[in-house]
């Protein structure tokens, strides 16, 4: 399969990664929770591994330098055909580019940015590595949602940068927008208002598919993580729970309807 045949439509979430202080401990946690195995990835930003499910890449985990005190959080990467041009557009539209653009070896070119509300995300111009090879099977990322105070202004930012069609929720009292590319839903924005966590601020949330939300939630605690929101029924027949790993990175466990 050629690169052009596997190219991700610009704006599509294509990868998630996590930077932590204790790489071996974090590998143990997610390996036990999701069945991940690991192999070394590009080392440009320090020690880094790619997580595998049945030999297919699903996520990346890197180690922060000891002196870097950054928030520990999963980062959603959005695909681009030109990281430099997209970084310029992000700045022009009121966002900030904090890292890059820079080359990650032969894998691709990337940058880390934040939107006008402060939510951090990445952009990825695929080279040899186009992104996650699996999505939606248990243990893999299945959805990405921006949790922010309100969706209207930040929605315009993402629309301007990536060309999304914004599809607001039918309910007037629900501030929720689905982002679509070529008619297909690819991500969502959720306006939490005053319920936005005070210490966390606007952030992208990675949803990982699991076969059993209740069982996986119990496993989080056994493995040294924390449960932030117990399993509950969400929209469209999904069962959800929110958890944090031992270093505090927050993620959602979800069982999608079959």
């Amino acid at each position: 399969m050629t690169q052009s045949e596997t190219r991700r439509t610009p704006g599509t979430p294509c990868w998630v990664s996590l930077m932590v202080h204790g790489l071996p401990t974090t590998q143990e946690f997610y390996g036990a929770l999701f069945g991940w195995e690991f192999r070394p990835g590009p080392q440009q930003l320090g020690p880094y591994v790619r997580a595998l499910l049945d030999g297919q890449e699903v996520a990346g985990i890197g180690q922060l330098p000891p002196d870097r005190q950054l928030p520990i959080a999963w980062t959603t990467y959005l695909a681009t055909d030109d990281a430099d041009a997209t970084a310029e557009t992000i700045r022009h539209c009121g966002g900030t580019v904090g890292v890059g653009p820079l080359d990650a070896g032969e894998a691709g070119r990337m940058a880390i940015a934040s939107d006008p509300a402060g939510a951090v995300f990445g952009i990825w111009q695929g080279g040899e590595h186009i992104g996650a090879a699996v999505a939606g099977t248990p243990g893999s990322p299945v959805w990405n949602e921006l949790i922010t105070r309100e969706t209207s202004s930040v929605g315009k930012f993402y629309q301007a940068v990536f060309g999304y069609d914004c599809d607001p929720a039918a309910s007037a009292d629900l501030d929720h927008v689905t982002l679509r590319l070529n008619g297909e839903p690819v991500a969502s924005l959720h306006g939490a208002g005053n319920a936005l966590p005070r210490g966390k601020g606007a952030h992208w949330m990675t949803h990982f598919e699991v076969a059993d939300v209740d069982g996986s939630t119990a496993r989080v605690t056994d493995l040294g993580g924390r449960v932030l929101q117990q399993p509950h029924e969400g929209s469209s027949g999904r069962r959800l729970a929110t958890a944090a790993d031992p270093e505090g990175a927050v993620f959602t466990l979800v069982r999608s309807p079959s």
Side-chain angles (χ1 to χ4, degrees):
M1 188 177 285
T2 67
Q3 180 66 37
S4 61
E5 288 174 324
T6 57
R7 185 184 72 87
R8 304 292 167 88
T9 302
T12 305
C14 62
W15 188 244
V16 293
S17 75
L18 176 64
M19 299 296 289
V20 296
H21 293 292
L23 185 55
T25 305
T26 301
Q27 286 179 241
E28 287 178 19
F29 173 83
Y30 287 104
L33 183 62
F34 293 139
W36 289 352
E37 297 176 335
F38 300 93
R39 71 168 170 227
Q43 306 290 303
Q44 275 79 3
L45 299 177
Y48 187 86
V49 295
R50 289 184 182 157
L52 310 175
L53 266 181
D54 297 325
Q56 302 290 305
E57 296 175 350
V58 292
I61 305 176
Q63 183 160 306
L64 288 164
D67 57 342
R68 293 297 295 276
Q69 297 303 316
L70 296 174
I72 307 299
W74 280 100
T75 300
T76 297
Y77 283 77
L78 306 173
T80 176
D81 286 340
D82 186 334
D84 295 80
T86 300
E88 193 56 44
T89 304
I90 288 168
R91 294 188 190 98
H92 179 72
C93 293
T96 304
V97 178
V99 177
L102 53 84
D103 288 328
E106 300 299 314
R109 191 162 173 79
M110 55 81 71
I112 303 292
S114 56
D115 66 26
V120 174
F121 64 96
I123 55 173
W124 182 257
Q125 178 185 338
E128 290 183 356
H129 174 69
I130 60 157
V134 180
T137 57
S140 71
V142 68
W143 192 248
N144 294 269
E145 181 170 75
L146 173 66
I147 300 172
T148 189
R149 190 167 296 281
E150 55 83 27
T151 64
S152 60
S153 59
V154 80
K156 292 185 177 75
F157 166 81
Y158 287 100
Q159 202 170 14
V161 175
F162 295 106
Y164 297 120
D165 292 321
C166 292
D167 183 10
S171 171
D173 58 356
L174 183 64
D175 187 10
H176 190 275
V177 173
T178 301
L179 301 179
R180 296 180 183 272
L181 289 169
N182 302 321
E184 293 296 319
V186 295
S188 54
L189 313 178
H190 175 66
N194 292 330
L196 189 69
R198 186 175 297 277
K200 191 163 178 55
H203 59 283
W204 278 89
M205 174 78 82
T206 302
H207 292 59
F208 293 99
E209 184 78 18
V210 292
D212 176 4
V213 170
D214 296 71
S216 294
T217 303
R219 192 105 174 92
V220 164
T221 307
D222 293 342
L223 295 168
R226 290 179 298 126
V227 177
L228 305 180
Q229 187 176 35
Q230 291 292 339
H232 60 281
E233 297 303 318
S235 60
S236 307
R238 299 177 304 159
R239 190 159 178 79
L240 305 156
T242 308
D245 69 19
E247 289 201 25
V250 177
F251 57 95
T252 294
L253 300 166
V254 60
R255 172 76 168 121
S256 302
S258 52

